[in-house]
């Protein structure tokens, strides 16, 4: 049985997969991510997403930034699911981001992509509870969108960064 498992793993060694952050904080991908300055993003959702991105990428100093990440957000809440008295019973909060990675020196856009996610919210009798649920949904969506952006920028960095 062991031999069969080991034999099944042999093709995986030649598949070309390698860790994105191989080499840890000294890797070329990590140093590229640290060289990205995150531009300001307006609004509460922008503040949340920007803070999450800075946590993941690190804050590049103004003199050390090679890239700038520009993000535009679309935060939308849509009510649906009508009860017998025509009041909405659910909401869907959607957070979409269009982001561009720009070389600071040349102003050239090297990555232009989108990210997004949505969340369902039950509308309950307490307005406070509904507002709290909307806020929690926004915080969770900001985290998901920041993770998507970081992963995509990390993939770009892995394909373009020079090995150390």
């Amino acid at each position: 049985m062991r031999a069969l498992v080991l034999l099944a793993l042999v093709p995986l060694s030649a598949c070309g997969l390698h860790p994105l952050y191989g080499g840890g904080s000294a890797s070329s991908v990590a140093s590229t991510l640290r060289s990205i300055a995150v531009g300001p993003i307006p609004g509460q959702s922008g503040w949340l997403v920007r803070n999450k991105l800075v946590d993941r990428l690190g804050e590049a100093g103004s003199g050390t930034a090679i890239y700038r990440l520009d993000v535009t957000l679309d935060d939308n809440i849509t009510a649906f699911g009508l009860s017998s008295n025509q009041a909405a019973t659910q909401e869907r909060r959607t957070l979409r981001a269009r982001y561009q990675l720009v070389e600071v020196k040349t102003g050239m856009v090297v990555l232009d992509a989108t990210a997004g996610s949505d969340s369902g919210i039950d509308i309950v009798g307490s307005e406070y509870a509904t507002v709290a649920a909307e806020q929690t949904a926004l915080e969770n969506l900001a985290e998901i969108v920041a993770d998507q952006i970081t992963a995509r920028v990390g993939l770009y960095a892995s394909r373009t960064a020079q090995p150390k």
Side-chain angles (χ1 to χ4, degrees), residues 1 3 6 9 13 21 28 30 45-46 51-52 54 57-58 63 65 80 87 100 125-126 130 149 151 157 160-161 163:
M1 181 65 173
L6 290 175
L9 293 176
S13 65
Y21 299 104
S28 59
S45 57
N51 284 345
K52 303 279 184 192
V54 168
L57 300 173
F80 63 95
Q100 295 179 322
S126 166
T130 301
I149 293 172
T160 59

Side-chain angles (χ1 to χ4, degrees), residues 44 48 93 119-121 128-144:
Q44 180 188 19
L48 287 167
R93 184 159 208 162
S119 178
I121 302 165
Y128 175 78
T130 301
V131 170
E134 290 172 351
Q135 182 62 31
T136 300
L138 177 59
E139 292 168 9
N140 293 337
L141 292 173
E143 185 143 353
I144 292 167

